[in-house]
Amino acid sequence: MTTSPSDSPSAAADLAVVGAGPAGLAAAVTAAGLGLRVILLDAGERPGGQYYRHPAPGLGAARPEALHHGWSAFASREAALRAHASAGRITYLPYHHVWTVIPDPDGAAWTLHAVAGADEAPATVRARAVLLATGAYERQLPFPGWTLPGVVGAGGAQAMLKGGLVLPGSRVVVAGSGPLLLAVAGSLASAGARVPVVVEAAAYSGYAHHVPALLRNPGKLAEGATYGGALLRHGVRLLTRHAVTEAHGTDRVEAVTVARLDRDWRPVPGTARRIPCDAVAVGHGLVPQLELATGLGCATRPSPDATVALELDAEQRTSVPGVWSAGETGGIGGAQLALAEGEIAAHSVAGRPVPARLVRTRTRLRAFAAAMAGAHRPGSGWTGWLREDTDVCRCEEVPAGRIREAVEDLGARDARTVKLLTRAGMGWCQGRMCGPAVAALAGTDPAPDRRPLSCPVPLRHLAELPAELP
Amino acid sequence: MSEATRGRRRSPRDLVGGTPAETWSLRFDGRELPAQTGQSIAAVLWSAGILAWRTTRDTAAPRGAFCGIGSCYDCLVTVNGRPNQRACLVPARPGDHVTTQEGTGHDDLAV
């Protein structure tokens, strides 16, 4: 096999980076520039992760930057990746989904197991240090009708647009919570969709409690103004303190009900109105993707947006010696922060002092991220828009009524017990879609991602693992 | 600006100045859909206005791409007879035959 150094397992690289999004890409090229031999593994076909997702060369996009904010930050690092790869300093392995990381008994090196390509071929690499830059996925709060075709993730709509140059419909309501919605609405409208309204559950006045963090981030305010300007230009309305509480249709979505919310995100009776559309792009912020990290025993902490993030030190070290992490895994903060953290981690792995400029950037952007996380934390009242027959777990088709029965009649007090009683979270996605909602219905905070395998793995690969796993 | 004064709305391809290298046909349930090298199977289906290509095993409800990044597994599809492929991740390739996936995707294994 040409793409994997598995034929020579003794030759360990200095650093294996998992994920080629902003954090992993910045880390890999910085580490290579500091003289380390780096292996960069990524589940995607092209570097950039979800944020810098872009069309395949075959689609001939002359201006991929038209769909991006801060494209030059990516372009310069991608050029560096190519240069380092052709010089043999970085082994770049796209379409490699790492499913487990196993330490040597003496702790001196790590073995990373991946499935490669559409044929799910096994691939193994070894490195003396690991940097997890696995990013995040979208948080979804269910509502009646959210399983109808045409209801898609806001990030999903963005990903399909950036990567495939396609739209889910011609009249798209964008809904949920968080600044991503503004970017998504702007992209969809620029690409030709009608976006009648952005429905934001939080009140942007939540940011007003964090004026110092805002004032120290004029770039973020300018970014917000750019999105705001784009929305105005395309005639997109922004409704704050509102939610899509139902999607209507039979074979696909035809309209949504939008209602005003109180401070706790409870729909206010009598405020519902119907808005016609043929697609809905919905998302309620992002969830750090931590299964590889928690599988290694890395410590976690609760984040102000009610997700779980990794506990990291000033140099991006996890609690497990030899394992670093950067970007959204340490708490949702955006691409600029991820770039800075990736570079900090690379310096740390190389044993070099971290440049003060990077530390200042991280401090400033982390403060902004905390303000953002607090402002968009879901209020407890959102469960008020569920009906008994609303599927909460999309994979196993478990409705809210069955989950409430497990909690109220059968005594389930956490998502794990609900799962055992109802199968919610036991399907293909392993609770990635329903986890936050099930935890809220059980009255608890979400638990950290814990999945023994981070993606489906053919049994034959498991059978080839060494018997003496730790 | 009203819809009338805005004229023909632009497409994603217009926005990025896209000139596809080649266009060919992807077979989906016997239909021929226009596809370009580099598109995922989900992107080809969305281009054709198709949003559902799977039915769930309990209620036979229609599903298609939801998360768009390979996390939700709602877009599972059968490609060249191989079920449970994530349409949002798998690149469309000339000669592929994509078919709607029903239920568990393992009906052919039933005894």
Side-chain angles (χ1 to χ4, degrees):
Chain A
M1 183 187 308
T2 54
T3 55
S4 167
S6 58
D7 299 338
S8 52
S10 57
D14 296 313
L15 172 65
V17 177
V18 183
L25 184 56
V29 300
T30 304
L34 293 170
L36 300 190
R37 283 181 309 121
V38 179
I39 300 174
L40 173 61
L41 304 103
D42 186 51
E45 283 189 282
R46 290 177 293 288
Q50 301 309 330
Y51 188 81
Y52 293 120
R53 183 183 277 262
H54 53 283
L59 294 174
R63 297 186 299 275
E65 69 276 12
L67 279 166
H68 287 86
H69 185 85
W71 179 252
S72 63
F74 169 71
S76 61
R77 286 167 180 89
E78 192 201 25
L81 171 64
R82 303 288 167 207
H84 285 306
S86 46
R89 291 184 291 265
I90 295 181
T91 304
Y92 169 50
L93 301 175
Y95 221 156
H96 276 58
H97 198 140
V98 176
W99 55 272
T100 195
V101 181
I102 296 173
D104 281 2
D106 62 2
W110 306 86
T111 302
L112 292 81
H113 293 274
V115 287
D119 300 327
E120 299 180 320
T124 304
V125 303
R126 283 173 55 75
R128 290 202 293 276
V130 174
L131 197 160
L132 301 172
T134 46
Y137 51 88
E138 199 158 37
R139 173 162 58 193
Q140 295 293 347
L141 302 180
F143 52 90
W146 78 307
T147 53
L148 275 174
V151 180
V152 302
Q158 182 87 320
M160 294 282 287
L161 174 56
K162 286 178 173 177
L165 304 179
V166 290
L167 297 168
S170 58
R171 186 177 162 87
V172 190
V173 168
V174 176
S177 193
L180 176 68
L181 300 184
L182 303 180
V184 170
S187 303
L188 294 173
S190 303
R194 293 178 185 81
V195 181
V197 62
V198 173
V199 186
E200 162 63 60
Y204 268 89
S205 57
Y207 286 82
H209 302 304
H210 303 275
V211 170
L214 297 185
L215 293 180
R216 290 176 59 209
N217 286 278
K220 285 288 183 189
L221 294 182
E223 191 178 336
T226 304
Y227 293 137
L231 299 189
L232 277 178
R233 218 166 37 249
H234 291 288
V236 179
R237 282 187 68 200
L238 173 62
L239 272 180
T240 57
R241 285 243 168 100
H242 280 72
V244 165
T245 55
E246 183 164 5
H248 309 276
T250 45
D251 294 330
R252 64 170 295 169
V253 62
E254 292 159 11
V256 290
T257 293
V258 171
R260 192 150 62 79
L261 302 181
D262 69 13
R263 297 184 67 86
D264 295 324
W265 290 31
R266 195 172 289 108
V268 177
T271 63
R273 68 183 125 144
R274 209 175 161 106
I275 298 176
C277 59
D278 62 0
V280 184
V282 64
H284 296 83
L286 303 176
V287 183
Q289 180 150 320
L290 304 184
E291 58 267 277
L292 290 177
T294 55
L296 285 166
C298 299
T300 60
R301 64 177 179 86
S303 189
D305 56 6
T307 64
V308 176
L310 289 183
E311 184 77 58
L312 301 172
D313 76 1
E315 294 195 354
Q316 305 295 135
R317 291 186 194 88
T318 70
S319 64
V320 175
V323 181
W324 282 255
S325 190
E328 310 290 47
T329 47
I332 303 307
Q336 287 171 274
L337 177 59
L339 292 167
E341 290 189 347
E343 293 178 5
I344 290 171
H347 282 84
S348 179
V349 174
R352 303 292 184 88
V354 176
R357 163 187 65 86
L358 292 174
V359 174
R360 282 196 302 273
T361 301
R362 180 181 54 191
T363 304
R364 174 171 61 78
L365 290 169
R366 274 284 164 215
F368 184 85
M372 185 181 78
H376 294 282
R377 180 189 176 100
S380 60
W382 71 266
T383 55
W385 67 58
L386 294 174
R387 289 199 313 242
E388 293 298 283
D389 65 351
T390 306
D391 275 340
V392 173
C393 170
R394 299 173 69 93
C395 303
E396 294 291 321
E397 301 177 271
V398 182
R402 291 234 324 269
I403 293 171
R404 285 181 167 139
E405 180 190 40
V407 172
E408 288 159 20
D409 302 343
L410 305 176
R413 292 287 173 269
D414 56 31
R416 182 179 154 78
T417 313
V418 171
K419 175 174 168 174
L420 296 173
L421 292 170
T422 68
R423 294 192 63 82
M426 271 176 140
W428 272 99
C429 88
Q430 286 290 289
R432 285 183 182 86
M433 293 301 114
C434 68
V438 171
L441 288 166
T444 57
D445 287 330
D449 275 351
R450 282 200 195 283
R451 301 177 188 91
L453 311 174
S454 72
C455 65
V457 179
L459 276 175
R460 64 182 189 280
H461 299 351
L462 295 178
E464 287 162 6
L465 283 181
E468 68 287 1
L469 286 183
Chain B
M1 189 164 50
S2 74
E3 287 302 320
T5 57
R6 199 177 284 147
R8 188 181 78 85
R9 297 190 69 92
R10 66 170 161 182
S11 71
R13 195 168 297 288
D14 297 336
L15 180 64
V16 299
T19 322
E22 51 177 335
T23 301
W24 39 273
S25 286
L26 181 78
R27 276 173 73 208
F28 170 70
D29 284 351
R31 295 167 63 182
E32 302 286 330
L33 306 179
Q36 278 110 45
T37 302
Q39 281 185 309
S40 67
I41 287 172
V44 173
L45 293 167
W46 275 25
S47 299
I50 299 168
L51 289 171
W53 48 83
R54 178 173 85 89
T55 56
T56 62
R57 68 179 176 204
D58 282 352
T59 62
R63 295 280 177 85
F66 181 69
C67 81
I69 65 169
S71 286
C72 78
Y73 295 82
D74 246 333
C75 67
L76 295 176
V77 72
T78 299
V79 184
N80 302 324
R82 192 162 168 229
N84 297 319
Q85 305 301 299
R86 283 174 280 178
C88 74
L89 297 186
V90 177
R93 288 182 288 209
D96 280 348
H97 190 193
V98 175
T99 45
T100 295
Q101 175 165 320
E102 292 175 7
T104 60
H106 286 294
D107 291 349
D108 54 328
L109 300 179
V111 288

